[in-house]
Amino acid sequence: MKTSQYVLELLEQNRGKAVSGEELAAAIGVSRNAVWKAIEELRRSGVKINAKTKTGYFLPESDNSLSKEGITALLGDERFTVDVRHTVTSTNDLLKQLAVTGTPEGYALIAAEQTMGKGRFGRKFYSPDGSGVYISLLLRPKMKAEDSLFITTSAAVAVCRAVETISGGRLSPKIKWVNDIYINQKKVCGILTEAAVSFESGMLDYAVLGIGINITTPEGDFPEEIKGIATSLFGGTEQDNIRNRIAAEVLKELGGLIDAPDDKACLEEYKQRQLLIDRDIVVIKGDKRIFARALGVDERARLCVRYEDGSTEALISGEVSVRAAGN
Ligand code: BTN
């Protein structure tokens, strides 16, 4: 590993606290001059490192840049390999390419910006720099293809738990069936799971779980077409080291998915966290819009609805989307 990376790791492990050049040099086993050169190299690459006379170097708490070292220091879970890139097309697309080359489970590709972020049904997922975090995690669960929806449902629960932890319980996220997280009736996060199936066994070969979270309101606000439906966790309020903290907390919660990909307890929590139950909704099937009442989510994660004519249906997520009536 390069000296600069060691230095960054040590500074991340002590974020906000000054570490002297001497301490860094001793911990890494290099000269103080080599540490100084590494600090300069990191600064040239854009890392904000402050210096306090006679005390040492430190990363400011308020810095919000995303980094592998920052996430790894907070995560402390060796099952994950964290790979942070600044700008990518789509973390899901890149991770699918890595998956076919044999990349192991637990590989997390995290970006600060996506130029072609995508959502369900080929929709675009707005992924600007500076205000969100875009995460894809590679999973290799021993799971039948038909159960792959439970990856999305468990991930939705994981994101809700992470948001509650990071906000100290101040935010109460809800899940809008099947893959969106809402706060105050607006979307704050979308989840997209893409999987490859082995034809012979009908089992999943791999799954790429993609999660995009709006952390703060983008500079100049959300684009007109999503302004009315999108929101962010913290609006314009600055939060210390927030992008690394959210990414690490979401990954921590997703650790459960590696241990028990089809955990039924998670489905119970998924049901309890639903936004639309007992509300009037619009079911969107192709170009048809049908009014209905959302009744609940069943054991197969289908949304059970009752139409105006009294008939009922259990909706399958790949075929329909829903929204609250009146929106
Ligand atoms: C949706 O809103 O329908 C799902 C959005 C999923 C967005 C995430 S961001 C990380 C990953 N990469 C993508 O291109 N999409 C997912």
Side-chain angles (χ1 to χ4, degrees):
M1 209 195 309
K2 279 176 71 182
T3 305
S4 55
Q5 205 180 332
Y6 272 123
V7 168
L8 190 53
E9 272 184 14
L10 290 167
L11 293 180
E12 278 293 1
Q13 285 160 14
N14 293 280
R15 187 175 269 270
K17 282 185 269 159
V19 188
S20 71
E22 204 172 345
E23 285 170 305
L24 290 169
I28 303 168
V30 295
S31 67
R32 282 178 62 178
N33 192 41
V35 167
W36 180 81
K37 280 188 181 155
I39 297 274
E40 288 308 304
E41 186 189 327
L42 288 166
R43 282 177 170 155
R44 276 196 304 277
S45 72
V47 182
K48 286 184 201 110
I49 302 176
N50 291 0
K52 233 188 207 163
T53 332
K54 295 207 177 111
T55 340
Y57 303 101
F58 66 99
L59 299 171
E61 296 272 21
S62 58
D63 178 27
N64 260 328
S65 42
L66 199 58
S67 77
K68 170 189 167 78
E69 292 75 11
I71 296 168
T72 309
L74 295 167
L75 182 58
D77 184 336
E78 295 190 344
R79 290 174 304 172
F80 294 102
T81 303
V82 176
D83 177 357
V84 171
R85 318 260 176 110
H86 190 274
T87 306
V88 299
T89 49
S90 152
T91 52
N92 265 30
D93 283 350
L94 287 190
L95 193 51
K96 281 192 289 179
Q97 287 169 18
L98 292 174
V100 290
T101 66
T103 300
E105 175 165 71
Y107 195 96
L109 183 59
I110 302 176
E113 177 182 26
Q114 296 184 116
T115 54
M116 291 169 69
K118 54 185 193 168
R120 287 205 322 146
F121 303 117
R123 294 184 193 126
K124 271 199 331 207
F125 185 79
Y126 181 61
S127 316
D129 184 18
S131 58
V133 64
Y134 315 104
I135 305 170
S136 291
L137 176 66
L138 181 60
L139 297 165
R140 295 191 182 277
K142 290 185 180 53
M143 184 185 252
K144 287 199 211 114
E146 69 222 47
D147 289 337
S148 58
L149 181 59
F150 295 115
I151 296 174
T152 301
T153 56
S154 298
V157 170
V159 172
C160 289
R161 290 179 184 168
V163 167
E164 282 169 359
T165 304
I166 293 287
S167 69
R170 275 175 293 118
L171 296 175
S172 306
K174 295 262 178 206
I175 300 167
K176 179 183 154 282
W177 185 86
V178 59
N179 65 325
D180 291 334
I181 309 299
Y182 270 52
I183 286 180
N184 298 331
Q185 312 296 327
K186 287 189 172 179
K187 176 164 167 172
V188 77
C189 163
I191 299 171
L192 175 68
T193 307
E194 298 183 89
V197 181
S198 157
F199 275 119
E200 275 164 22
S201 61
M203 302 289 279
L204 285 191
D205 186 10
Y206 67 81
V208 166
L209 166 62
I211 300 172
I213 307 177
N214 306 326
I215 299 177
T216 49
T217 307
E219 223 181 287
D221 214 339
F222 287 99
E224 211 51 53
E225 62 272 24
I226 56 169
K227 220 181 217 168
I229 50 170
T231 190
S232 64
L233 296 177
F234 300 109
T237 318
E238 291 296 324
Q239 305 282 323
D240 288 346
N241 193 20
I242 191 68
R243 290 206 285 177
N244 287 339
R245 286 200 291 133
I246 295 257
E249 199 58 45
V250 167
L251 289 180
K252 266 186 208 170
E253 290 291 349
L254 289 175
L257 251 179
I258 296 179
D259 300 332
D262 49 4
D263 182 7
K264 290 287 180 286
C266 226
L267 184 63
E268 281 314 306
E269 194 173 332
Y270 179 81
K271 290 181 190 175
Q272 278 154 23
R273 289 181 178 273
Q274 289 300 311
L275 174 76
L276 294 177
I277 303 312
D278 293 330
R279 286 176 59 182
D280 291 329
I281 60 166
V282 180
V283 177
I284 304 163
K285 286 189 183 183
D287 51 10
K288 276 199 246 154
R289 306 273 183 280
I290 316 159
F291 282 101
R293 183 94 176 164
L295 303 176
V297 171
D298 72 8
E299 291 313 295
R300 289 165 62 189
R302 299 176 303 183
L303 181 68
C304 303
V305 300
R306 186 174 57 239
Y307 295 111
E308 286 178 318
D309 65 4
S311 64
T312 57
E313 188 178 7
L315 302 173
I316 298 169
S317 71
E319 295 166 4
V320 295
S321 61
V322 295
R323 59 176 165 75
N327 278 4

